[in-house]
């Protein structure tokens, strides 16, 4: 039993590296030592009115220095959201919290900082690690999707603009309320992109994004 405990703790040490240190267990005998893993909190760097929270995988989140008390005392990790082709769509700062049944809840930093009773939180500039207050706003799921960046399979370089192979022209469409709306056929990609941009301003408002 003791050897299994030691093996388990050794596995933790190998997985987390410098984030853990070992210490002797209380009341240990001379013959048996149990490795206790003690989590070390990664320090937050403050520069003026901006603070940088270190994450895993080499990422760091940016917050207002005034919000440090809301996130300190915990280790945060990089939550990477990927597209179907495996490329990175967005990265967020998150931490895990235990719940009943031995499972874990994922708590996102931006949800804690905004403290809004909204369906989702949108990052204005599309950077999921920029958690400064000015960059966060409450949003519905649809509004959040309106502000997403280009899909990985987009070949035109513009949202809503694509080559219509049957018509042999550029086409434009926009999505609203889970439905695609055709905006027309155009002789050049610029005209198709402009049509989407205009429709996005009218239908998506401040959540519209064209790139």
């Amino acid at each position: 039993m003791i050897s299994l405990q030691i093996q388990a703790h050794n596995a933790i040490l190998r997985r987390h590296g410098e984030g853990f240190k070992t210490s002797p267990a209380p009341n240990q005998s001379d013959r048996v030592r149990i490795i206790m893993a003690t989590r070390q909190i990664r320090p937050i760097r403050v520069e003026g009115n901006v603070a940088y929270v270190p994450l895993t995988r080499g990422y760091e989140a940016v917050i207002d220095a005034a919000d440090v008390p809301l996130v300190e005392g915990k280790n945060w990790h990089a939550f990477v959201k990927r597209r179907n082709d495996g490329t990175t769509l967005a990265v967020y700062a998150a931490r895990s919290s235990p719940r009943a049944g031995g499972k874990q809840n994922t708590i996102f930093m931006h949800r804690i900082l905004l403290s809004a009773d909204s369906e989702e939180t949108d990052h204005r500039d599309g950077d999921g690690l920029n958690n400064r207050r000015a960059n966060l706003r409450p949003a519905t799921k649809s509004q959040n999707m309106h502000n997403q960046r280009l899909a990985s399979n987009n070949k035109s370089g513009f949202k809503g603009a694509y080559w219509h192979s049957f018509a042999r022209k550029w086409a434009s469409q926009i999505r609203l309320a889970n439905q695609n709306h055709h905006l027309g056929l155009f002789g050049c990609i610029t005209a198709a992109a402009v049509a989407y941009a205009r429709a996005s301003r009218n239908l998506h408002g401040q959540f519209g994004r064209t790139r």
Side-chain angles (χ1 to χ4, degrees), residues 137-157:
R137 56 185 172 185
T140 64
K141 185 175 182 178
S142 293
Q143 289 171 331
N144 212 347
M145 292 184 67
H146 298 334
N147 194 31
Q148 283 189 354
R149 295 174 178 173
L150 284 176
S152 60
N153 59 352
N154 183 291
K155 297 179 180 179
S156 70

Side-chain angles (χ1 to χ4, degrees), residues 101-171:
K103 297 183 179 180
Q104 298 282 325
N105 277 332
T106 299
I107 300 175
F108 290 98
M109 184 183 293
H110 54 263
R111 295 295 288 175
I112 291 178
L113 295 176
L114 189 62
S115 300
D117 186 19
S118 60
E119 185 178 353
E120 293 190 4
T121 300
D122 178 60
H123 293 78
R124 293 176 184 270
D125 64 358
D127 182 357
L129 296 178
N130 181 3
N131 289 327
R132 302 195 68 183
R133 297 272 181 165
N135 195 47
L136 302 179
R137 56 185 172 185
T140 64
K141 185 175 182 178
S142 293
Q143 289 171 331
N144 212 347
M145 292 184 67
H146 298 334
N147 194 31
Q148 283 189 354
R149 295 174 178 173
L150 284 176
S152 60
N153 59 352
N154 183 291
K155 297 179 180 179
S156 70
F158 298 93
K159 290 184 71 172
Y162 65 98
W163 177 250
H164 196 297
S165 57
F166 181 78
R168 304 295 296 173
K169 288 187 176 182
W170 288 98

